Amino acid sequence: MFSRPAVDGKPATSCIGYAAHDNAGVLVPMTFDRAAPGPSDVRIQITHCGICHSDLHMVKNEWNNAIYPMVPGHEIVGIVTEVGEGVTKFKPGDRAGVGCMVDSCGSCEFCKAECGEQQFCKGQVLTYSSKLPDGTVTKGGYSDFIVVKESFVLRIPDSLPLDATAPLLCAGITTYSPLRHFGLDKPGMRLGVVGLGGLGHMAVKIGKGLGLHVTVISTSEAKREEAVKHLGADAFIVSKDSGQMQAAAGSLDGIIDTVSAKHDLAAMVALLRVDGRLVLVGVPEVPLDLPSAALIFKRAMVSGSLIGGIKQTQEMLDFCGEKGITASIEKIPIDYVNTAYERMLRSDVRYRFVIDIQGSLVQ
């Protein structure tokens, strides 16, 4: 099933996917062409693609950068079926993945940084609804295959299942990167995780993998058992309970805040120790308020974090392979994707939808 050079007379570049055609955001089947692999390209037959909440924002053009028709998906895993003559790191049959980026300028300070920080490159090309240097509009992983330059292809550890690994390409690196970058990765450190959704549950798992003491902070007491018994959190705080919040004041070295709705940042800062750091990875639709006094009297720091670069993303995958860390997923057929979007709006998923491409789009 991984070697489809042609189907019913269609050329090898003919690709099947699901696309949104306007800001109604309804996804329907669409056939389109992808470029044939060049000398430095890798062709990946997609087995699974995770659904990120940003996919929903994008198809509805809520960030005003949509290019239609749009094939979403930037949590892509699959099997290499073809490589260009200049490719040295991959061969047909390898397990591979593609995250949020497929190209960058390669010459700016961020691209040339030893750690590789292509996510900050002004010439960065996103995996979908973006333009390559030749003007081609990128299309993502809600499709049967993808062609990507070797330097943006990631190796998936053999120890990890492909389906539950897909969300690591976005949710995993989004939470892993700030823990490493800001030094919140020393065994025994006390980490708070605000919100227990797609990002939050990965922050808990990665935090525990790093040997941290992890406290989940949620508005819902109903999530306590899930956080502690199933995800392995060491403690749980209901943020609406003033007694619990006061008891935990000044106890955390850092907090990863994954919430994308309006909430009280000063209350989160109160949980930090002196010199503690609050890192925002969620993107609320409205600006958040933060009284300066909350920071001043703790010498606290508030930071934001995006994803990581290619080098760090591979590091994250290797770390998860070593620790056996994957996302908690609900696997769906691709024709269920519009219903999945509706359920995401209700936070009705534990914790990430993953499309079974080979089991539904390609049979």
Side-chain angles (χ1 to χ4, degrees):
M1 66 178 175
F2 294 124
S3 60
R4 299 175 62 251
V7 176
D8 297 331
K10 296 177 184 176
T13 53
S14 180
C15 189
I16 306 167
Y18 265 56
H21 290 267
D22 54 44
N23 63 6
V26 177
L27 292 155
V28 296
M30 183 181 82
T31 299
F32 60 97
D33 286 337
R34 290 199 187 274
S40 62
D41 293 337
V42 176
R43 182 190 188 277
I44 301 169
Q45 195 75 23
I46 299 171
T47 60
H48 302 87
C49 184
I51 298 179
C52 178
H53 206 282
S54 62
D55 295 345
L56 181 56
H57 290 295
M58 287 291 292
V59 298
K60 292 182 176 294
N61 197 27
E62 292 176 355
W63 293 336
N64 299 312
N65 60 346
I67 303 174
Y68 299 109
M70 181 193 302
V71 178
H74 58 209
E75 297 179 345
I76 302 165
V77 294
I79 305 296
V80 174
T81 57
E82 185 180 350
V83 299
E85 59 187 18
V87 171
T88 60
K89 296 179 181 178
F90 294 91
K91 64 183 184 304
D94 285 348
R95 293 150 52 93
V98 178
C100 300
M101 304 174 288
V102 293
D103 204 357
S104 66
C105 79
S107 59
C108 69
E109 61 177 309
F110 303 111
C111 292
K112 287 188 171 182
E114 183 179 352
C115 59
E117 293 194 315
Q118 299 90 346
Q119 71 272 29
F120 300 121
C121 172
K122 291 184 178 179
Q124 169 204 130
V125 179
L126 301 177
T127 304
Y128 68 90
S129 198
S130 191
K131 288 187 177 181
L132 290 163
D134 65 2
T136 300
V137 176
T138 57
K139 293 180 172 59
Y142 296 14
S143 57
D144 63 339
F145 74 92
I146 191 167
V147 177
V148 179
K149 66 193 302 185
E150 179 185 26
S151 55
F152 282 81
V153 178
L154 298 146
R155 185 173 297 279
I156 305 299
D158 291 338
S159 59
L160 298 179
L162 287 172
D163 54 1
T165 298
L168 300 184
L169 277 304
C170 179
I173 187 58
T174 297
T175 50
Y176 180 89
S177 184
L179 292 175
R180 289 299 199 191
H181 181 78
F182 294 116
L184 300 172
D185 57 354
K186 311 300 186 295
M189 292 185 80
R190 302 177 73 89
L191 174 72
V193 176
V194 186
L196 197 60
L199 292 177
H201 95 288
M202 286 309 313
V204 173
K205 291 187 176 189
I206 291 172
K208 292 302 297 179
L210 290 166
L212 309 182
H213 180 284
V214 179
T215 297
V216 171
I217 304 150
S218 173
T219 59
S220 174
E221 172 66 35
K223 292 188 176 181
R224 181 184 297 273
E225 181 175 359
E226 176 72 14
V228 176
K229 290 187 177 181
H230 298 289
L231 295 177
D234 299 284
F236 185 91
I237 300 171
V238 178
S239 57
K240 293 181 179 180
D241 187 317
S242 59
Q244 291 184 34
M245 292 290 283
Q246 187 171 2
S251 66
L252 302 177
D253 296 296
I255 296 174
I256 301 295
D257 188 337
T258 71
V259 174
S260 293
K262 188 173 177 61
H263 58 293
D264 187 354
L265 291 186
M268 299 303 111
V269 172
L271 298 175
L272 293 172
R273 293 172 171 170
V274 171
D275 289 327
R277 185 182 295 271
L278 172 64
V279 184
L280 307 178
V281 297
V283 186
E285 295 181 3
V286 296
L288 300 178
D289 297 323
L290 180 57
S292 58
L295 302 177
I296 291 170
F297 287 96
K298 288 214 168 180
R299 202 162 58 196
M301 294 163 280
V302 178
S303 304
S305 186
L306 191 56
I307 54 173
I310 297 301
K311 182 178 180 180
Q312 190 179 61
T313 304
Q314 186 64 62
E315 175 190 300
M316 177 273 304
L317 287 169
D318 293 342
F319 170 82
C320 289
E322 177 187 344
K323 300 293 184 178
I325 296 172
T326 58
S328 298
I329 67 168
E330 180 178 336
K331 192 158 56 175
I332 62 169
I334 197 164
D335 59 8
Y336 188 78
V337 66
N338 292 303
T339 301
Y341 277 13
E342 293 172 4
R343 286 180 54 191
M344 277 201 306
L345 287 172
R346 304 194 301 269
S347 299
D348 179 23
V349 57
R350 288 174 51 192
Y351 281 94
R352 206 73 157 183
F353 286 116
V354 172
I355 303 169
D356 182 4
I357 298 293
Q358 285 294 323
S360 58
L361 183 61
V362 180
Q363 296 181 359

